[in-house]
Amino acid sequence: MNKSLKIFAPATVANLSCGFDVLGCCLDTVGDEMVVSLTSEPGVTITKIEGADLPMETHKNVAGVAVEALLKSYNEAIGVNIEIYKNIKAGSGIGSSAASSAGAVWAVNHLLNNPFTKHQLVAFAMEGEKLASGNAHADNVAPALLGGFTLVRSYNPLDVIKLNTPKDLMMTVIHPQIEVKTSDSRSVIKHNVSLKKAIQQWGNVGGLVAGLFTEDYQLIGRSLEDVIIEPLRSILIPEFEAVKEAAISKGALGCGISGSGPSIFALSKGEETANIVANTIREVYNKTGLEFDIHVSKINNEGIKILSH
């Protein structure tokens, strides 16, 4: 047995302002590459990691843990070898651990002739997220596996819904070269919120989902508002308010924190606007002296892709 697969495991933007831990979408132009092979020796081994200093031990690596969860359910002695080529920096806020977790289980499932549905794979990939952040959230792994926009309606039982993706939506993401650990950014969040703010947030989540399905870009923009998490987390991100103001002034529908930060996303209608937004937030960050990356991407409605067999 020596079946092998090279895949593209995409970056993702989670939360989308109003949807903490429940909303996410999949990017197209940035992601990791992985080579996953079935071997005759039972168990999961990681033999190569390039682009990041990550543990090779299976039980300490998110891809290894996620695949072990899959194999436990598969209930046959299977050997898996994983090579990881990281292009998404850890702690960037665009789903680095999710790409590894989701990519690994997707590839193994494909090599085993798809015994599990993509929705079932979400639960396995969440085990990797649990290792990375202490919390088994699905708002990054779900869009990576399903593509497009996804909503986690429920965690217990797990119920993930793929939403509609309006074709003109474009994402601009700026990643300042500072690390904000998911565990640290979770520590600033309050566990109790006022009913008034909760009502605002529910309305925005409903509005965003409705806007995606009706392809009402103005409704999407009005709904990209976070009154609960962003006010607390934004203080960890240099020039967040300046970036947000600049992006919206140049036509972005909305702007917010990508995942747990420090990346900031802006959603726009059309590639031209997305590039104008990229240029204006570049000007803001050029004044900070910080290094940064900017990505402009359409929404990837497919998710993980095969690069070669």
PDB file of all heavy atoms in Angstrom, residues 131-162:
ATOM      1  N   LEU A 131      -6.360  20.780  20.549  1.00  0.00           N
ATOM      2  CA  LEU A 131      -4.958  20.728  20.945  1.00  0.00           C
ATOM      3  C   LEU A 131      -4.304  22.104  20.832  1.00  0.00           C
ATOM      4  O   LEU A 131      -3.531  22.515  21.698  1.00  0.00           O
ATOM      5  CB  LEU A 131      -4.205  19.716  20.071  1.00  0.00           C
ATOM      6  CG  LEU A 131      -2.691  19.619  20.306  1.00  0.00           C
ATOM      7  CD1 LEU A 131      -2.388  19.054  21.681  1.00  0.00           C
ATOM      8  CD2 LEU A 131      -2.028  18.776  19.219  1.00  0.00           C
ATOM      9  N   ALA A 132      -4.634  22.841  19.762  1.00  0.00           N
ATOM     10  CA  ALA A 132      -3.983  24.127  19.494  1.00  0.00           C
ATOM     11  C   ALA A 132      -4.408  25.219  20.468  1.00  0.00           C
ATOM     12  O   ALA A 132      -3.589  26.029  20.906  1.00  0.00           O
ATOM     13  CB  ALA A 132      -4.279  24.568  18.055  1.00  0.00           C
ATOM     14  N   SER A 133      -5.693  25.250  20.816  1.00  0.00           N
ATOM     15  CA  SER A 133      -6.206  26.397  21.580  1.00  0.00           C
ATOM     16  C   SER A 133      -6.911  26.034  22.875  1.00  0.00           C
ATOM     17  O   SER A 133      -7.343  26.911  23.613  1.00  0.00           O
ATOM     18  CB  SER A 133      -7.170  27.211  20.709  1.00  0.00           C
ATOM     19  OG  SER A 133      -8.357  26.475  20.454  1.00  0.00           O
ATOM     20  N   GLY A 134      -7.068  24.723  23.112  1.00  0.00           N
ATOM     21  CA  GLY A 134      -7.800  24.310  24.297  1.00  0.00           C
ATOM     22  C   GLY A 134      -9.298  24.307  24.104  1.00  0.00           C
ATOM     23  O   GLY A 134     -10.051  23.996  25.022  1.00  0.00           O
ATOM     24  N   ASN A 135      -9.727  24.654  22.880  1.00  0.00           N
ATOM     25  CA  ASN A 135     -11.159  24.748  22.609  1.00  0.00           C
ATOM     26  C   ASN A 135     -11.453  24.105  21.261  1.00  0.00           C
ATOM     27  O   ASN A 135     -10.871  24.479  20.247  1.00  0.00           O
ATOM     28  CB  ASN A 135     -11.588  26.220  22.609  1.00  0.00           C
ATOM     29  CG  ASN A 135     -13.074  26.400  22.394  1.00  0.00           C
ATOM     30  OD1 ASN A 135     -13.530  26.506  21.261  1.00  0.00           O
ATOM     31  ND2 ASN A 135     -13.836  26.461  23.471  1.00  0.00           N
ATOM     32  N   ALA A 136     -12.377  23.146  21.243  1.00  0.00           N
ATOM     33  CA  ALA A 136     -12.681  22.412  20.003  1.00  0.00           C
ATOM     34  C   ALA A 136     -13.692  23.185  19.162  1.00  0.00           C
ATOM     35  O   ALA A 136     -14.844  22.801  19.025  1.00  0.00           O
ATOM     36  CB  ALA A 136     -13.208  21.019  20.332  1.00  0.00           C
ATOM     37  N   HIS A 137     -13.246  24.303  18.590  1.00  0.00           N
ATOM     38  CA  HIS A 137     -14.149  25.127  17.778  1.00  0.00           C
ATOM     39  C   HIS A 137     -14.077  24.715  16.311  1.00  0.00           C
ATOM     40  O   HIS A 137     -13.079  24.158  15.855  1.00  0.00           O
ATOM     41  CB  HIS A 137     -13.826  26.617  17.946  1.00  0.00           C
ATOM     42  CG  HIS A 137     -12.395  26.969  17.641  1.00  0.00           C
ATOM     43  ND1 HIS A 137     -12.006  27.506  16.438  1.00  0.00           N
ATOM     44  CD2 HIS A 137     -11.259  26.840  18.373  1.00  0.00           C
ATOM     45  CE1 HIS A 137     -10.695  27.704  16.441  1.00  0.00           C
ATOM     46  NE2 HIS A 137     -10.227  27.306  17.611  1.00  0.00           N
ATOM     47  N   ALA A 138     -15.151  24.990  15.568  1.00  0.00           N
ATOM     48  CA  ALA A 138     -15.252  24.517  14.174  1.00  0.00           C
ATOM     49  C   ALA A 138     -15.321  25.651  13.159  1.00  0.00           C
ATOM     50  O   ALA A 138     -15.470  25.398  11.966  1.00  0.00           O
ATOM     51  CB  ALA A 138     -16.485  23.629  14.023  1.00  0.00           C
ATOM     52  N   ASP A 139     -15.199  26.899  13.617  1.00  0.00           N
ATOM     53  CA  ASP A 139     -15.439  28.016  12.692  1.00  0.00           C
ATOM     54  C   ASP A 139     -14.336  28.200  11.659  1.00  0.00           C
ATOM     55  O   ASP A 139     -14.537  28.892  10.661  1.00  0.00           O
ATOM     56  CB  ASP A 139     -15.697  29.328  13.451  1.00  0.00           C
ATOM     57  CG  ASP A 139     -14.659  29.614  14.522  1.00  0.00           C
ATOM     58  OD1 ASP A 139     -13.888  28.710  14.888  1.00  0.00           O
ATOM     59  OD2 ASP A 139     -14.621  30.751  15.022  1.00  0.00           O
ATOM     60  N   ASN A 140     -13.169  27.553  11.845  1.00  0.00           N
ATOM     61  CA  ASN A 140     -12.133  27.528  10.800  1.00  0.00           C
ATOM     62  C   ASN A 140     -12.136  26.218  10.026  1.00  0.00           C
ATOM     63  O   ASN A 140     -12.042  26.222   8.793  1.00  0.00           O
ATOM     64  CB  ASN A 140     -10.736  27.750  11.393  1.00  0.00           C
ATOM     65  CG  ASN A 140     -10.490  29.163  11.864  1.00  0.00           C
ATOM     66  OD1 ASN A 140     -10.532  29.440  13.062  1.00  0.00           O
ATOM     67  ND2 ASN A 140     -10.235  30.069  10.936  1.00  0.00           N
ATOM     68  N   VAL A 141     -12.209  25.088  10.735  1.00  0.00           N
ATOM     69  CA  VAL A 141     -12.118  23.800  10.033  1.00  0.00           C
ATOM     70  C   VAL A 141     -13.333  23.541   9.148  1.00  0.00           C
ATOM     71  O   VAL A 141     -13.208  22.908   8.090  1.00  0.00           O
ATOM     72  CB  VAL A 141     -11.894  22.613  11.003  1.00  0.00           C
ATOM     73  CG1 VAL A 141     -10.540  22.724  11.679  1.00  0.00           C
ATOM     74  CG2 VAL A 141     -13.007  22.491  12.030  1.00  0.00           C
ATOM     75  N   ALA A 142     -14.500  24.045   9.548  1.00  0.00           N
ATOM     76  CA  ALA A 142     -15.703  23.807   8.733  1.00  0.00           C
ATOM     77  C   ALA A 142     -15.597  24.451   7.351  1.00  0.00           C
ATOM     78  O   ALA A 142     -15.807  23.776   6.335  1.00  0.00           O
ATOM     79  CB  ALA A 142     -16.961  24.283   9.463  1.00  0.00           C
ATOM     80  N   PRO A 143     -15.252  25.752   7.236  1.00  0.00           N
ATOM     81  CA  PRO A 143     -15.105  26.310   5.886  1.00  0.00           C
ATOM     82  C   PRO A 143     -13.940  25.715   5.102  1.00  0.00           C
ATOM     83  O   PRO A 143     -14.016  25.601   3.879  1.00  0.00           O
ATOM     84  CB  PRO A 143     -14.916  27.815   6.123  1.00  0.00           C
ATOM     85  CG  PRO A 143     -14.532  27.956   7.550  1.00  0.00           C
ATOM     86  CD  PRO A 143     -15.152  26.798   8.264  1.00  0.00           C
ATOM     87  N   ALA A 144     -12.865  25.322   5.793  1.00  0.00           N
ATOM     88  CA  ALA A 144     -11.754  24.682   5.080  1.00  0.00           C
ATOM     89  C   ALA A 144     -12.208  23.380   4.428  1.00  0.00           C
ATOM     90  O   ALA A 144     -11.829  23.070   3.299  1.00  0.00           O
ATOM     91  CB  ALA A 144     -10.595  24.412   6.037  1.00  0.00           C
ATOM     92  N   LEU A 145     -13.043  22.615   5.129  1.00  0.00           N
ATOM     93  CA  LEU A 145     -13.517  21.324   4.621  1.00  0.00           C
ATOM     94  C   LEU A 145     -14.665  21.454   3.628  1.00  0.00           C
ATOM     95  O   LEU A 145     -14.729  20.731   2.631  1.00  0.00           O
ATOM     96  CB  LEU A 145     -13.948  20.437   5.782  1.00  0.00           C
ATOM     97  CG  LEU A 145     -12.813  19.850   6.632  1.00  0.00           C
ATOM     98  CD1 LEU A 145     -13.329  19.369   7.975  1.00  0.00           C
ATOM     99  CD2 LEU A 145     -12.122  18.716   5.879  1.00  0.00           C
ATOM    100  N   LEU A 146     -15.591  22.370   3.896  1.00  0.00           N
ATOM    101  CA  LEU A 146     -16.802  22.488   3.070  1.00  0.00           C
ATOM    102  C   LEU A 146     -16.690  23.551   1.990  1.00  0.00           C
ATOM    103  O   LEU A 146     -17.434  23.532   1.015  1.00  0.00           O
ATOM    104  CB  LEU A 146     -18.020  22.797   3.956  1.00  0.00           C
ATOM    105  CG  LEU A 146     -18.322  21.800   5.083  1.00  0.00           C
ATOM    106  CD1 LEU A 146     -19.498  22.290   5.922  1.00  0.00           C
ATOM    107  CD2 LEU A 146     -18.606  20.420   4.531  1.00  0.00           C
ATOM    108  N   GLY A 147     -15.774  24.501   2.175  1.00  0.00           N
ATOM    109  CA  GLY A 147     -15.649  25.618   1.245  1.00  0.00           C
ATOM    110  C   GLY A 147     -16.670  26.707   1.537  1.00  0.00           C
ATOM    111  O   GLY A 147     -17.656  26.499   2.251  1.00  0.00           O
ATOM    112  N   GLY A 148     -16.422  27.888   0.991  1.00  0.00           N
ATOM    113  CA  GLY A 148     -17.369  28.997   1.106  1.00  0.00           C
ATOM    114  C   GLY A 148     -17.568  29.482   2.533  1.00  0.00           C
ATOM    115  O   GLY A 148     -16.647  29.466   3.355  1.00  0.00           O
ATOM    116  N   PHE A 149     -18.797  29.903   2.815  1.00  0.00           N
ATOM    117  CA  PHE A 149     -19.177  30.360   4.154  1.00  0.00           C
ATOM    118  C   PHE A 149     -19.879  29.221   4.887  1.00  0.00           C
ATOM    119  O   PHE A 149     -20.682  28.493   4.285  1.00  0.00           O
ATOM    120  CB  PHE A 149     -20.148  31.543   4.064  1.00  0.00           C
ATOM    121  CG  PHE A 149     -19.521  32.826   3.610  1.00  0.00           C
ATOM    122  CD1 PHE A 149     -19.371  33.106   2.259  1.00  0.00           C
ATOM    123  CD2 PHE A 149     -19.083  33.773   4.527  1.00  0.00           C
ATOM    124  CE1 PHE A 149     -18.803  34.292   1.826  1.00  0.00           C
ATOM    125  CE2 PHE A 149     -18.510  34.962   4.110  1.00  0.00           C
ATOM    126  CZ  PHE A 149     -18.364  35.223   2.758  1.00  0.00           C
ATOM    127  N   THR A 150     -19.593  29.087   6.181  1.00  0.00           N
ATOM    128  CA  THR A 150     -20.254  28.049   6.965  1.00  0.00           C
ATOM    129  C   THR A 150     -20.762  28.624   8.283  1.00  0.00           C
ATOM    130  O   THR A 150     -20.197  29.584   8.822  1.00  0.00           O
ATOM    131  CB  THR A 150     -19.314  26.866   7.277  1.00  0.00           C
ATOM    132  OG1 THR A 150     -18.152  27.353   7.954  1.00  0.00           O
ATOM    133  CG2 THR A 150     -18.907  26.132   6.011  1.00  0.00           C
ATOM    134  N   LEU A 151     -21.807  28.000   8.789  1.00  0.00           N
ATOM    135  CA  LEU A 151     -22.401  28.355  10.079  1.00  0.00           C
ATOM    136  C   LEU A 151     -22.443  27.106  10.953  1.00  0.00           C
ATOM    137  O   LEU A 151     -22.949  26.062  10.524  1.00  0.00           O
ATOM    138  CB  LEU A 151     -23.826  28.886   9.880  1.00  0.00           C
ATOM    139  CG  LEU A 151     -24.687  29.015  11.140  1.00  0.00           C
ATOM    140  CD1 LEU A 151     -24.210  30.171  12.014  1.00  0.00           C
ATOM    141  CD2 LEU A 151     -26.163  29.199  10.772  1.00  0.00           C
ATOM    142  N   VAL A 152     -21.913  27.213  12.163  1.00  0.00           N
ATOM    143  CA  VAL A 152     -22.051  26.131  13.138  1.00  0.00           C
ATOM    144  C   VAL A 152     -23.327  26.429  13.939  1.00  0.00           C
ATOM    145  O   VAL A 152     -23.324  27.267  14.837  1.00  0.00           O
ATOM    146  CB  VAL A 152     -20.836  26.042  14.077  1.00  0.00           C
ATOM    147  CG1 VAL A 152     -20.974  24.839  15.018  1.00  0.00           C
ATOM    148  CG2 VAL A 152     -19.538  25.944  13.283  1.00  0.00           C
ATOM    149  N   ARG A 153     -24.415  25.776  13.566  1.00  0.00           N
ATOM    150  CA  ARG A 153     -25.690  26.039  14.248  1.00  0.00           C
ATOM    151  C   ARG A 153     -25.660  25.514  15.675  1.00  0.00           C
ATOM    152  O   ARG A 153     -26.240  26.101  16.585  1.00  0.00           O
ATOM    153  CB  ARG A 153     -26.856  25.389  13.485  1.00  0.00           C
ATOM    154  CG  ARG A 153     -28.227  25.810  14.014  1.00  0.00           C
ATOM    155  CD  ARG A 153     -29.306  24.784  13.719  1.00  0.00           C
ATOM    156  NE  ARG A 153     -29.078  23.508  14.369  1.00  0.00           N
ATOM    157  CZ  ARG A 153     -29.376  23.259  15.650  1.00  0.00           C
ATOM    158  NH1 ARG A 153     -29.887  24.184  16.412  1.00  0.00           N
ATOM    159  NH2 ARG A 153     -29.131  22.056  16.159  1.00  0.00           N
ATOM    160  N   SER A 154     -24.971  24.386  15.872  1.00  0.00           N
ATOM    161  CA  SER A 154     -24.906  23.775  17.197  1.00  0.00           C
ATOM    162  C   SER A 154     -23.605  22.999  17.324  1.00  0.00           C
ATOM    163  O   SER A 154     -23.122  22.424  16.354  1.00  0.00           O
ATOM    164  CB  SER A 154     -26.097  22.829  17.389  1.00  0.00           C
ATOM    165  OG  SER A 154     -25.895  21.971  18.505  1.00  0.00           O
ATOM    166  N   TYR A 155     -23.043  23.006  18.534  1.00  0.00           N
ATOM    167  CA  TYR A 155     -21.866  22.186  18.814  1.00  0.00           C
ATOM    168  C   TYR A 155     -22.241  20.853  19.448  1.00  0.00           C
ATOM    169  O   TYR A 155     -21.489  19.892  19.374  1.00  0.00           O
ATOM    170  CB  TYR A 155     -20.898  22.952  19.731  1.00  0.00           C
ATOM    171  CG  TYR A 155     -19.971  23.867  18.959  1.00  0.00           C
ATOM    172  CD1 TYR A 155     -20.253  25.219  18.800  1.00  0.00           C
ATOM    173  CD2 TYR A 155     -18.816  23.369  18.374  1.00  0.00           C
ATOM    174  CE1 TYR A 155     -19.397  26.047  18.093  1.00  0.00           C
ATOM    175  CE2 TYR A 155     -17.953  24.185  17.654  1.00  0.00           C
ATOM    176  CZ  TYR A 155     -18.243  25.525  17.522  1.00  0.00           C
ATOM    177  OH  TYR A 155     -17.401  26.336  16.802  1.00  0.00           O
ATOM    178  N   ASN A 156     -23.380  20.801  20.111  1.00  0.00           N
ATOM    179  CA  ASN A 156     -23.789  19.572  20.776  1.00  0.00           C
ATOM    180  C   ASN A 156     -25.291  19.358  20.610  1.00  0.00           C
ATOM    181  O   ASN A 156     -26.069  19.935  21.363  1.00  0.00           O
ATOM    182  CB  ASN A 156     -23.406  19.621  22.262  1.00  0.00           C
ATOM    183  CG  ASN A 156     -23.613  18.291  22.953  1.00  0.00           C
ATOM    184  OD1 ASN A 156     -23.638  17.239  22.299  1.00  0.00           O
ATOM    185  ND2 ASN A 156     -23.785  18.317  24.260  1.00  0.00           N
ATOM    186  N   PRO A 157     -25.700  18.558  19.611  1.00  0.00           N
ATOM    187  CA  PRO A 157     -24.853  17.828  18.658  1.00  0.00           C
ATOM    188  C   PRO A 157     -24.289  18.762  17.588  1.00  0.00           C
ATOM    189  O   PRO A 157     -24.860  19.827  17.323  1.00  0.00           O
ATOM    190  CB  PRO A 157     -25.821  16.827  18.036  1.00  0.00           C
ATOM    191  CG  PRO A 157     -27.140  17.529  18.072  1.00  0.00           C
ATOM    192  CD  PRO A 157     -27.143  18.314  19.365  1.00  0.00           C
ATOM    193  N   LEU A 158     -23.176  18.344  16.978  1.00  0.00           N
ATOM    194  CA  LEU A 158     -22.540  19.171  15.957  1.00  0.00           C
ATOM    195  C   LEU A 158     -23.445  19.283  14.726  1.00  0.00           C
ATOM    196  O   LEU A 158     -23.878  18.272  14.174  1.00  0.00           O
ATOM    197  CB  LEU A 158     -21.189  18.566  15.555  1.00  0.00           C
ATOM    198  CG  LEU A 158     -20.332  19.407  14.605  1.00  0.00           C
ATOM    199  CD1 LEU A 158     -19.930  20.730  15.247  1.00  0.00           C
ATOM    200  CD2 LEU A 158     -19.079  18.629  14.192  1.00  0.00           C
ATOM    201  N   ASP A 159     -23.736  20.503  14.322  1.00  0.00           N
ATOM    202  CA  ASP A 159     -24.620  20.759  13.187  1.00  0.00           C
ATOM    203  C   ASP A 159     -24.051  21.935  12.401  1.00  0.00           C
ATOM    204  O   ASP A 159     -24.147  23.083  12.838  1.00  0.00           O
ATOM    205  CB  ASP A 159     -26.031  21.071  13.694  1.00  0.00           C
ATOM    206  CG  ASP A 159     -27.059  21.224  12.569  1.00  0.00           C
ATOM    207  OD1 ASP A 159     -26.690  21.002  11.394  1.00  0.00           O
ATOM    208  OD2 ASP A 159     -28.212  21.573  12.861  1.00  0.00           O
ATOM    209  N   VAL A 160     -23.404  21.621  11.272  1.00  0.00           N
ATOM    210  CA  VAL A 160     -22.731  22.637  10.457  1.00  0.00           C
ATOM    211  C   VAL A 160     -23.476  22.811   9.142  1.00  0.00           C
ATOM    212  O   VAL A 160     -23.820  21.837   8.475  1.00  0.00           O
ATOM    213  CB  VAL A 160     -21.263  22.244  10.175  1.00  0.00           C
ATOM    214  CG1 VAL A 160     -20.584  23.287   9.293  1.00  0.00           C
ATOM    215  CG2 VAL A 160     -20.494  22.077  11.482  1.00  0.00           C
ATOM    216  N   ILE A 161     -23.717  24.063   8.769  1.00  0.00           N
ATOM    217  CA  ILE A 161     -24.488  24.374   7.560  1.00  0.00           C
ATOM    218  C   ILE A 161     -23.619  25.184   6.601  1.00  0.00           C
ATOM    219  O   ILE A 161     -23.009  26.185   6.998  1.00  0.00           O
ATOM    220  CB  ILE A 161     -25.744  25.194   7.920  1.00  0.00           C
ATOM    221  CG1 ILE A 161     -26.636  24.393   8.887  1.00  0.00           C
ATOM    222  CG2 ILE A 161     -26.531  25.582   6.679  1.00  0.00           C
ATOM    223  CD1 ILE A 161     -27.456  25.259   9.793  1.00  0.00           C
ATOM    224  N   LYS A 162     -23.556  24.750   5.353  1.00  0.00           N
ATOM    225  CA  LYS A 162     -22.871  25.551   4.342  1.00  0.00           C
ATOM    226  C   LYS A 162     -23.831  26.614   3.828  1.00  0.00           C
ATOM    227  O   LYS A 162     -24.974  26.323   3.474  1.00  0.00           O
ATOM    228  CB  LYS A 162     -22.372  24.676   3.189  1.00  0.00           C
ATOM    229  CG  LYS A 162     -21.614  25.484   2.138  1.00  0.00           C
ATOM    230  CD  LYS A 162     -20.849  24.635   1.146  1.00  0.00           C
ATOM    231  CE  LYS A 162     -20.146  25.538   0.134  1.00  0.00           C
ATOM    232  NZ  LYS A 162     -19.308  24.784  -0.814  1.00  0.00           N
TER     233      LYS A 162
END
